[in-house]
Amino acid sequence: MKIFFDESGQSGCVLQKNDLLNFQSQPTFAIGAVLIKNDKDALKLVKKYEVFKEKFHVEGEIKGSDMLTKEHNGELEYFLKNILDRYHFFVLLYDKRFYLSTLLLLSVMGLQYKNLFPKEFYTYATMLSQQKDDFFIRYLKYIENPNPADFSDYLNYLINYKYINFEGYENNVVLMARQIIDANEENEFYNDFLTFGNYDNPKITNLINLTALSELVYFIKSQTDISNKEIEYIHDHIKEFEDTFQNELSAFGINISFSDSKEETLLQVADNFISILRHAYDKGITHIQKKEMWEDKNKWDMELLSHVIRKTTHNHISFTVSLNDWAASLCVEKMFDSKYPKKYRNNINFNYCYQENLLKNYVSISENNHFLDEDIKLLEK
């Protein structure tokens, strides 16, 4: 078996610079995989893609982002209809603010909190992810050089911060921060943060690319039950992080190689797929957040997101985003299907669908919650 990976939304390590988040223009990250069972399977998919390129007179590469322009809508439609399917494609979607929120919770509350209270963990991560940029900038500044004195200041910042969307909830981050200060235990907790020096390369931290890749490998292996010895992992070149990827993943028996998409057709397929899906997701979620999903000018965007989710199937999509956006995405999948009556596309039906999906997501979180040693065993298998 071979698995080909490519990314979309790569902005490097998730950091701040000059009091600005370095991912302002790319708030999400996605990694896509094309899973090939054997040589016959590979030849079949490559042939499909070559027919596609010949039909549209593509020389060299066509990027997924290109297909989202009006002049290439024919290519987009053909790709979605004839190449994308529910068998070969997997994806992990990451919201970068949600990613930072989970890191903060793990650092302050501990891994045991996530293991024992998974629903609460993801609920609080969702609410934290909705805070303003200054909240994340302050976190990123602290992790640049964790020390006891700065940790006390940071804990007080967490206690006094004006949180939004926490109505009706006790803020466990605030409670824990107070507890640490009251017990004078700053020295016990200040260094429990992912920071520089936690990877083999001391110049990087918050490497969302590696986290997402590891989680996608886990996601695929949990569904395929294939061992690392039977899988060849191939990633599109990402030169600044390749050594770290190989060093970190080799500890789990995962040997990954890197190749140039110009020379590997299936990496081109992965690029097209992941670019289309992430851009469709970003536009769809933005329309929902602005309450513009019913406007005629946004119909094409919403229907595209629905189409891509349905063709990939949500069983092959890992939504590592806020619970709100995950539930909303599943509503889009259903309500912007061409078979869904247009007269029922309204806020009342959306809200009902949304609440239904939230409940399903909580069930999924509980059913798929594992302790770290179980996750490691599967990755190492």
Side-chain angles (χ1 to χ4, degrees):
M1 177 181 286
K2 293 183 178 181
I3 307 178
F4 296 84
F5 300 96
D6 198 14
E7 304 172 342
S8 181
Q10 139 77 341
S11 58
C13 298
V14 181
L15 299 169
Q16 68 86 31
K17 185 176 182 180
N18 299 325
D19 289 336
L20 293 173
L21 299 173
N22 71 345
F23 54 88
Q24 293 281 9
S25 61
Q26 294 181 315
T28 59
F29 174 83
I31 181 166
V34 178
L35 187 150
I36 303 298
K37 293 181 179 179
N38 49 48
D39 290 342
K40 183 179 179 181
D41 193 27
L43 287 172
K44 187 176 179 180
L45 187 54
V46 167
K47 179 61 178 176
K48 280 186 177 183
Y49 194 70
E50 288 175 345
V51 168
F52 158 68
K53 292 175 74 173
E54 289 171 8
K55 177 178 175 64
F56 292 98
H57 310 290
V58 176
E59 295 183 5
E61 291 184 82
I62 181 171
K63 293 294 185 180
S65 53
D66 294 333
M67 291 192 211
L68 295 165
T69 59
K70 284 187 178 180
E71 58 265 36
H72 292 296
N73 279 174
E75 289 93 320
L76 174 64
E77 183 178 352
Y78 186 95
F79 183 90
L80 295 178
K81 182 178 181 181
N82 298 285
I83 298 174
L84 182 60
D85 60 39
R86 63 181 60 204
Y87 307 107
H88 294 95
F89 297 87
F90 290 79
V91 61
L92 186 140
L93 274 164
Y94 236 128
D95 180 285
K96 293 175 185 177
R97 287 176 175 79
F98 185 80
Y99 167 72
L100 292 177
S101 298
T102 61
L103 292 181
L104 171 58
L105 278 173
L106 287 171
S107 300
V108 175
M109 304 300 296
L111 181 61
Q112 190 174 19
Y113 175 73
K114 176 180 178 291
N115 289 336
L116 296 177
F117 308 103
K119 291 191 290 186
E120 290 80 357
F121 179 88
Y122 285 104
T123 297
Y124 281 106
T126 291
M127 292 189 290
L128 290 174
S129 71
Q130 296 165 353
Q131 307 311 304
K132 296 179 181 179
D133 286 1
D134 61 333
F135 181 77
F136 302 102
I137 291 168
R138 186 66 178 80
Y139 168 80
L140 292 169
K141 283 185 174 181
Y142 172 70
I143 67 158
E144 289 175 1
N145 181 30
N147 62 78
D150 287 347
F151 187 50
S152 295
D153 290 341
Y154 183 54
L155 291 175
N156 280 301
Y157 175 86
L158 292 175
I159 291 169
N160 295 306
Y161 186 77
K162 303 300 182 184
Y163 295 88
I164 57 175
N165 299 327
F166 265 82
E167 295 81 3
Y169 283 88
E170 271 194 308
N171 190 328
N172 283 347
V173 170
V174 172
L175 294 176
M176 188 63 181
R178 284 179 176 148
Q179 183 176 323
I180 294 171
I181 289 176
D182 291 344
N184 197 27
E185 292 181 337
E186 288 90 339
N187 286 332
E188 303 296 323
F189 291 89
Y190 80 92
N191 207 27
D192 289 344
F193 291 75
L194 182 62
T195 184
F196 295 97
N198 289 137
Y199 297 95
D200 68 320
N201 184 342
K203 295 181 179 179
I204 65 175
T205 191
N206 294 348
L207 186 53
I208 192 172
N209 314 61
L210 178 59
T211 302
L213 174 60
S214 303
E215 291 181 5
L216 183 57
V217 168
Y218 178 91
F219 184 58
I220 294 171
K221 291 185 70 175
S222 69
Q223 298 189 41
T224 58
D225 194 32
I226 302 294
S227 72
N228 289 323
K229 294 178 181 179
E230 302 171 86
I231 303 173
E232 185 177 349
Y233 298 98
I234 304 153
H235 197 294
D236 192 30
H237 273 305
I238 179 169
K239 295 190 186 323
E240 64 266 46
F241 301 132
E242 288 179 10
D243 290 343
T244 297
F245 273 42
Q246 290 173 328
N247 290 338
E248 298 288 340
L249 291 173
S250 64
F252 301 99
I254 297 171
N255 297 311
I256 189 165
S257 62
F258 296 86
S259 185
D260 192 330
S261 60
K262 293 183 177 65
E263 301 170 1
E264 180 55 74
T265 299
L266 292 171
L267 285 176
Q268 296 176 34
V269 176
D271 164 86
N272 293 174
F273 161 61
I274 195 59
S275 294
I276 292 167
L277 190 146
R278 188 186 71 83
H279 283 89
Y281 173 84
D282 281 1
K283 284 192 172 184
I285 290 299
T286 297
H287 294 325
I288 291 170
Q289 291 172 345
K290 293 182 177 180
K291 303 187 186 304
E292 298 173 350
M293 61 275 207
W294 314 123
E295 295 184 13
D296 288 342
K297 64 180 181 179
N298 298 325
K299 178 183 174 185
W300 188 87
D301 292 337
M302 305 305 292
E303 290 182 345
L304 174 61
L305 178 56
S306 173
H307 191 176
V308 177
I309 293 176
R310 282 184 287 107
K311 284 298 296 276
T312 309
T313 75
H314 55 81
N315 291 327
H316 280 203
I317 303 175
S318 178
F319 289 95
T320 313
V321 300
S322 72
L323 293 171
N324 309 57
D325 292 345
W326 182 9
S329 299
L330 299 181
C331 291
V332 172
E333 175 193 11
K334 176 181 179 180
M335 297 183 70
F336 286 90
D337 184 344
S338 59
K339 297 177 182 178
Y340 189 88
K342 291 182 175 56
K343 66 180 180 180
Y344 295 138
R345 289 181 182 172
N346 54 50
N347 288 337
I348 293 175
N349 288 302
F350 183 90
N351 290 338
Y352 178 81
C353 180
Y354 175 82
Q355 293 299 327
E356 190 175 51
N357 285 327
L358 272 181
L359 292 175
K360 290 179 181 178
N361 292 347
Y362 276 119
V363 171
S364 177
I365 288 169
S366 295
E367 290 179 347
N368 292 289
N369 183 54
H370 304 100
F371 287 89
L372 182 60
D373 58 342
E374 297 177 81
D375 295 341
I376 291 173
K377 284 180 182 178
L378 182 59
L379 280 176
E380 292 177 335
K381 180 180 176 184

